[in-house]
Structures are given as C-alpha cells and as structure tokens.
Amino acid sequence: METKPGGRGHPGLKESVEICPQGLLVFTGSSEQDSNLAKQFWVAASMYPTNESQLVLSRGSSQRLPVARASRGGATESPDITAETLKTQQSEDKEKYLQKAKRRDEILQLLRKQREERISKELVSLPYKPKAKGHKAKKVIPESDKEDQQEVKALD
C-alpha cells in the first residue's frame, strides 16, 4: 500500500492508493467525490483502442468516404443559375483553348523562321565547304552481261 501526502493539492490530506491483484485501483482515505473523480480520470486515461479501430470490415464494405456528386438542379439552385454558371464555364474553357492555340501557332511560326534562317546560312556557306571525296568504284560489268547487252543491241 502506498500513501501520498497532499492528495489533489490539499496539504493536510493524506491519500492512499492500493493496487489490487486484479489490476484495479482502490482509493482509501479519500472522500467519495475525490475517489469518483480519480476513477473517472483513470478510466478516461487508460489506453484502450478507439471504437473505430476495433471495427471489423465486412466483405462488401469500404473504408473510403463516398464522393460528393454534382447536384442536378437541387432545391437550393435554380435552373437559371446553373445555366449561367455553365455558360461562364464554357466561355472560360473556350478562352483557355484559344490561348493555347494561339501559343501553338506562335511556336510553329518561330520554328519555321529558325528553319529558314538555318537553310539560308547553309546555302551561303555551301560554296566554301570542302567537297566530300567519295571513292567511286567503276562498275564492273560481268562478261555475260556485256554479251547480253550486245545481243539486245543487235536485235534492234
């Protein structure tokens, strides 16, 4: 048995806590209100898993929350507001796509310009480039082909 002087901040009060073999706490020498408060504290402070973590999922259940679906003309929205919202959304989308198309055209125009500049520079430098010396091997025509060619000429 353990005694603590000044239980719950009272300087003259002695409180004893007894731990029973079952693991239960017994408060002796305290008022009933103090022991009830202490019991409430220890019950709340125990580290039991929460109810949610003890739930067992059945086969068809899922832990995901349902996804909110777009309301289709609910009681709070009027058809005029949804139609107007839809029109503004469509116009914003159209504007966005037009901007992307304009940017694409600008990029293609820049690429064409760069290509033309590159080609013109190559044409200017072409006369000054050294000629590539390639080994041109003479075609060796087999004798049988020569004879065939002569026979064809003779037929003409």
Side-chain angles (χ1 to χ4, degrees), residues 14-154:
K14 287 197 175 187
E15 176 181 278
S16 65
V17 177
E18 181 178 337
I19 301 176
C20 295
Q22 297 89 8
L24 300 175
L25 295 176
V26 177
F27 298 93
T28 57
S30 300
S31 69
E32 190 173 329
Q33 181 184 7
D34 285 343
S35 62
N36 285 337
L37 289 172
K39 287 178 186 177
Q40 287 177 356
F41 170 76
W42 284 111
V43 167
S46 63
M47 301 298 284
Y48 295 113
T50 60
N51 289 338
E52 292 83 4
S53 68
Q54 294 178 346
L55 295 176
V56 177
L57 295 175
S58 62
R59 288 186 189 185
S61 65
S62 172
Q63 288 187 344
R64 292 186 178 204
L65 294 174
V67 177
R69 306 212 189 282
S71 62
R72 303 201 180 230
T76 59
E77 294 183 21
S78 67
D80 295 334
I81 294 174
T82 49
E84 185 179 314
T85 308
L86 184 61
K87 284 181 183 179
T88 57
Q89 181 68 32
Q90 287 175 345
S91 65
E92 289 173 0
D93 290 345
K94 185 177 181 179
E95 181 66 30
K96 182 173 68 172
Y97 289 126
L98 288 174
Q99 287 177 354
K100 285 184 179 182
K102 184 178 178 184
R103 174 127 171 91
R104 179 180 175 270
D105 290 340
E106 290 173 354
I107 291 171
L108 289 174
Q109 186 177 7
L110 179 65
L111 289 173
R112 281 189 209 104
K113 180 182 173 190
Q114 289 174 344
R115 180 178 180 265
E116 289 173 5
E117 289 175 356
R118 187 182 67 245
I119 289 172
S120 67
K121 287 179 183 178
E122 287 177 4
L123 289 176
V124 168
S125 65
L126 189 63
Y128 303 103
K129 283 188 178 179
K131 306 272 192 254
K133 293 182 180 178
H135 296 287
K136 294 184 179 179
K138 293 183 179 180
K139 279 190 172 179
V140 177
I141 301 173
E143 289 296 322
S144 61
D145 287 347
K146 285 183 184 179
E147 292 172 2
D148 291 340
Q149 286 176 356
Q150 288 175 356
E151 290 176 4
V152 170
K153 285 183 184 179

